[in-house]
Amino acid sequence: MKQYTLSLLLFFPLIGWAQPEIQWQRRLGGSLTEEIRSITLTIDKGYLMAGPTISNDIDVEYNNGAVDFWSIKVDSAGTLEWEKCYGGSLNESPRDAKQVSDGGFIYCGNTQSIDGDVSGNHGETDVWLIKTDNVGNLEWQKCYGGSDIDEGWEAQMTSDGGYIIVGWTESNDGNIVFNHGLTDVWVIKLDANAEIEWQKTYGGSMFDWGYSVFQTDDGGYIVCGEAQSDDGDLSGIIFGLDAWVLKLDAEGKIEWQREYGGSDADRANEILQTRDGGFIFCGHSESEDGDLTNNNGVFDIWVVKLSNTGDIEWQRSMGGSGQDNGMHIAELSEGGYVVTGSLNSPEYPGNHGSSDLWVIKLSESGEIVWQRAYGGSSQDYGRAIEQAGDGGLIVGGYTRSAAGDGDVGGPALGSNDFWILKLAPETSDAIEPVHPLLQIYPNPANTHIRVQGIDTQQDGQVIISDALGRIVMTRPLQTAALLELEPLPPGMYFLLARYADGKQMNGKFQKVE
């Protein structure tokens, strides 16, 4: 029987840090239900959000039918610039959206439709990838799948100008050559025209799902999800459901795979490569054995830091007696990580009600720097988080709480509304305030980048480091507004503007072929 306990460290942020305050918030939607599932910081310092909608009124101008992809673009102050629906007469569910090198956007999810914006559906539910211009006009769309249920969960532009998609499949026909069991993790590599270069299924005889993919600095991919199988591509399953991580080479061959968890249900929702060349994932766990040292309740937010070969460097469970879930993690420019999800434990300090949108900052070694719950007395949920251009945070999810209830502002529009929170840059009594992020565009970039926010009249240097922390380029600050990238191979890079007076500003960008 589990012993539900709460660590005092989870109750209080570390001394010296102030929890970030809400700078602004926006509530958007229609009279029915909407939910943010993805946030992208755009090159013009605004934000793009995507999620499902079933509304066709108020902020939702045109719904094609049933559930649509809904995308909204706001400026840096949260003012709505445009909104678009994409779909057909049946159900479309977006999971992810990102800005790409030409300034437009890609959206990944799934579709059931064969009309409206959708063509080429192979069966019951297909992976759906769409590309728009920078104001949301549809440029192209593609369906991938077979005759059964196939879902897309995350997509990324790759260093060769193509795309990588992860999700899962029940099919064994159409675009799917082989299925190991009931559901398989499905990874699809596309060229720049969104045609399939290769596709691979991974799994065993039971249910296995893929949720997140990230291109690594060696040109391969790191994938995470959830696995029930103990055969096929899997080995070492602990019990029940485990978090599953696969390292793939550039052609999709498994270099290594590991299952993480204990004797109950454990899941990895989001994974990325970290600045030190390792990996980090977040999700939730019900276990208190195996790879886990404790469990505070039903589900805990679970964050696991891995080496570049998949060994656990540290892991942390966070939560209370209820069902607390981790949905998204981001690495911060100043070091450390930030996680968002939901806090459903009523006794946890700061919880406003049924469930709250929860944000936790962790140090590089996994210690809690601060945590704060945002919400009202009804259900509020965090689904996506990114670092904003000023060093603060942008967080999205949904709210069911009334206007003026707790942290929630704006009139309630439907049963669930898009909820966007802009959190101020944090300050510390002991440490200098976080320096703002630089705006770098295009991003990803090919031949050059433009850098906004640098004072080129000052003395100093621009230092560019690769994903392993190796310095690959230095330039005088005075020449840094436009930087040529021809000497650099494709990959992820970090840019530091260091002034002679000690001031520093940070940014990151991806170089593509």
Side-chain angles (χ1 to χ4, degrees):
M1 180 177 178
K2 290 184 178 178
Q3 300 297 315
Y4 298 144
T5 60
L6 281 173
S7 167
L8 290 177
L9 181 58
L10 298 184
F11 281 168
F12 303 106
L14 296 182
I15 295 170
W17 286 94
Q19 296 171 332
E21 298 299 323
I22 299 173
Q23 280 185 313
W24 56 259
Q25 60 172 305
R26 285 299 304 271
R27 186 175 190 154
L28 295 162
S31 59
L32 296 175
T33 185
E34 287 75 42
E35 172 187 329
I36 292 174
R37 289 181 175 168
S38 179
I39 285 180
T40 296
L41 176 65
T42 55
I43 59 176
D44 62 357
K45 302 182 182 180
Y47 310 98
L48 181 98
M49 272 73 62
T53 180
I54 59 175
S55 300
N56 199 15
D57 53 9
I58 310 177
D59 295 317
V60 185
E61 186 173 338
Y62 179 76
N63 187 313
N64 295 275
V67 185
D68 265 13
F69 282 26
W70 191 41
S71 179
I72 64 168
K73 171 66 170 61
V74 301
D75 65 17
S76 60
T79 303
L80 181 64
E81 294 183 327
W82 54 262
E83 62 85 27
K84 298 279 186 178
C85 284
Y86 311 100
S89 57
L90 296 178
N91 295 317
E92 283 71 51
S93 180
R95 299 285 180 182
D96 183 48
K98 289 184 175 71
Q99 192 162 39
V100 293
S101 58
D102 66 356
F105 304 97
I106 56 168
Y107 302 79
C108 177
N110 52 273
T111 180
Q112 293 179 338
S113 298
I114 55 172
D115 54 7
D117 296 320
V118 186
S119 62
N121 194 325
H122 297 78
E124 186 171 345
T125 300
D126 264 15
V127 174
W128 197 35
L129 184 72
I130 67 175
K131 168 70 170 63
T132 74
D133 64 16
N134 64 347
V135 290
N137 297 312
L138 185 63
E139 293 183 334
W140 52 257
Q141 62 85 39
K142 293 277 188 177
C143 290
Y144 308 95
S147 57
D148 287 312
I149 297 175
D150 315 294
E151 291 203 358
W153 277 68
E154 189 169 24
Q156 180 187 5
M157 192 175 195
T158 52
S159 59
D160 60 0
Y163 308 93
I164 193 81
I165 300 173
V166 71
W168 53 268
T169 179
E170 290 184 359
S171 300
N172 202 9
D173 54 9
N175 297 133
I176 297 94
V177 175
F178 176 74
N179 189 306
H180 297 77
L182 299 175
T183 63
D184 275 5
V185 174
W186 193 27
V187 178
I188 315 166
K189 174 62 177 73
L190 309 174
D191 64 18
N193 297 314
E195 299 298 327
I196 295 176
E197 291 185 335
W198 55 260
Q199 62 79 38
K200 304 266 187 189
T201 52
Y202 309 92
S205 58
M206 300 298 288
F207 291 99
D208 311 300
W209 300 273
Y211 301 134
S212 180
V213 63
F214 190 93
Q215 187 173 30
T216 52
D217 55 22
D218 61 0
Y221 307 96
I222 193 78
V223 174
C224 79
E226 185 178 16
Q228 190 182 48
S229 301
D230 60 1
D231 53 7
D233 294 319
L234 292 104
S235 60
I237 199 83
I238 296 171
F239 187 80
L241 292 172
D242 274 2
W244 193 26
V245 174
L246 303 94
K247 174 64 177 71
L248 310 178
D249 68 12
E251 302 301 319
K253 180 181 177 180
I254 297 175
E255 294 183 330
W256 55 261
Q257 64 82 31
R258 292 278 295 271
E259 300 92 53
Y260 305 91
S263 57
D264 287 300
D266 314 298
R267 169 172 168 164
N269 284 320
E270 180 78 16
I271 195 164
L272 51 90
Q273 187 170 34
T274 52
R275 199 167 303 156
D276 62 2
F279 308 101
I280 194 166
F281 72 77
C282 83
H284 58 254
S285 174
E286 196 179 13
S287 301
E288 58 179 353
D289 53 8
D291 294 318
L292 293 104
T293 54
N294 71 290
N295 180 281
N296 299 291
V298 181
F299 281 120
D300 280 357
I301 289 182
W302 192 34
V303 177
V304 183
K305 175 67 174 67
L306 306 175
S307 71
N308 62 358
T309 56
D311 295 324
I312 294 178
E313 295 181 341
W314 55 260
Q315 60 86 30
R316 176 172 279 281
S317 299
M318 296 163 285
S321 61
Q323 185 167 313
D324 309 310
N325 300 298
M327 298 303 300
H328 191 88
I329 188 166
E331 187 172 22
L332 298 171
S333 62
E334 69 272 19
Y337 310 95
V338 66
V339 183
T340 194
S342 66
L343 175 64
N344 292 276
S345 300
E347 80 287 355
Y348 203 97
N351 191 327
H352 297 79
S354 174
S355 67
D356 272 8
L357 182 155
W358 200 15
V359 179
I360 308 166
K361 181 178 178 181
L362 300 175
S363 70
E364 292 183 354
S365 59
E367 298 301 318
I368 296 175
V369 179
W370 53 257
Q371 65 82 25
R372 181 166 171 179
Y374 302 89
S377 57
S378 190
Q379 291 184 355
D380 312 294
Y381 205 109
R383 294 299 301 262
I385 191 165
E386 293 291 341
Q387 192 164 28
D390 62 356
L393 299 170
I394 188 79
V395 194
Y398 69 79
T399 181
R400 292 185 178 180
S401 297
D405 180 2
D407 296 315
V408 182
L413 306 170
S415 58
N416 279 9
D417 294 335
F418 268 28
W419 194 30
I420 313 162
L421 299 175
K422 172 60 178 67
L423 305 183
E426 63 194 61
T427 58
S428 167
D429 297 334
I431 302 174
E432 289 295 315
V434 174
H435 297 297
L437 286 173
L438 296 165
Q439 296 300 304
I440 300 173
Y441 65 95
N443 192 2
N446 174 245
T447 59
H448 68 276
I449 54 173
R450 296 184 181 275
V451 185
Q452 287 186 345
I454 291 179
D455 184 355
T456 57
Q457 303 303 310
Q458 301 294 318
D459 292 330
Q461 277 189 321
V462 167
I463 303 167
I464 295 178
S465 303
D466 65 14
L468 298 179
R470 299 172 296 200
I471 295 175
V472 295
M473 184 187 294
T474 59
R475 293 289 186 271
L477 206 60
Q478 293 89 342
T479 64
L482 179 67
L483 294 172
E484 298 297 327
L485 301 180
E486 291 295 349
L488 301 180
M492 185 66 68
Y493 293 91
F494 297 89
L495 187 149
L496 174 68
R498 178 178 292 160
Y499 292 83
D501 63 3
K503 178 182 177 183
Q504 298 185 84
M505 303 178 75
N506 305 282
K508 64 181 178 179
F509 64 92
Q510 185 179 9
K511 165 79 184 295
V512 297
E513 291 182 347

